[in-house]
Amino acid sequence: MNAYDVIIKPVRSEKAYDGIANKKYAFVVDRRADKKQIKAAVEEIFKVQVEKVNTVNVRGKYKRQGRTEGYTSSYKKAYVQLAASSKSIEFFDSLT
């Protein structure tokens, strides 16, 4: 798995935006990726130093629309804390 297979997309939510000021970023990642792979992928793609990675398995939500019902897709989310000496991720600077 290369770095671009591990990181799928950034999380766009209020909680994720609040962490940007403290160099804490959220990403949707591959469900099979572990913390070491996520750390290596973020460091390779964004050229930063990662201090800590926390992961969360998010279960799909139950949705109903008329007679149709089911669950949304489950996914894995990673919160990445950068080192204090590291530069911020430029992609997120335009979002705040």
Side-chain angles (χ1 to χ4, degrees):
M1 232 193 288
N2 70 23
Y4 292 96
D5 292 335
V6 174
I7 305 294
I8 297 172
K9 64 181 179 180
V11 174
R12 299 178 306 172
S13 68
E14 242 180 280
K15 183 178 178 182
Y17 289 156
D18 289 343
I20 292 175
N22 301 326
K23 294 185 179 180
K24 193 167 194 174
Y25 302 96
F27 298 97
V28 175
V29 296
D30 188 88
R31 294 182 73 187
R32 298 165 294 178
D34 60 6
K35 291 181 181 186
K36 290 180 182 179
Q37 290 173 329
I38 295 167
K39 178 180 178 179
V42 170
E43 288 178 344
E44 180 182 332
I45 293 170
F46 298 108
K47 309 290 190 259
V48 293
Q49 291 179 330
V50 175
E51 182 179 316
K52 184 168 70 168
V53 176
N54 294 327
T55 58
V56 180
N57 285 312
V58 182
R59 288 178 43 190
K61 293 182 181 177
Y62 178 73
K63 296 285 184 175
R64 194 174 80 201
Q65 188 171 15
R67 286 186 266 185
T68 307
E69 57 188 37
Y71 288 88
T72 60
S73 298
S74 298
Y75 60 95
K76 189 173 194 176
K77 188 166 36 173
Y79 290 99
V80 177
Q81 176 70 48
L82 299 185
S85 61
S86 177
K87 65 180 178 103
S88 62
I89 298 176
E90 294 147 10
F91 172 77
F92 289 96
D93 291 341
S94 62
L95 300 177
T96 58

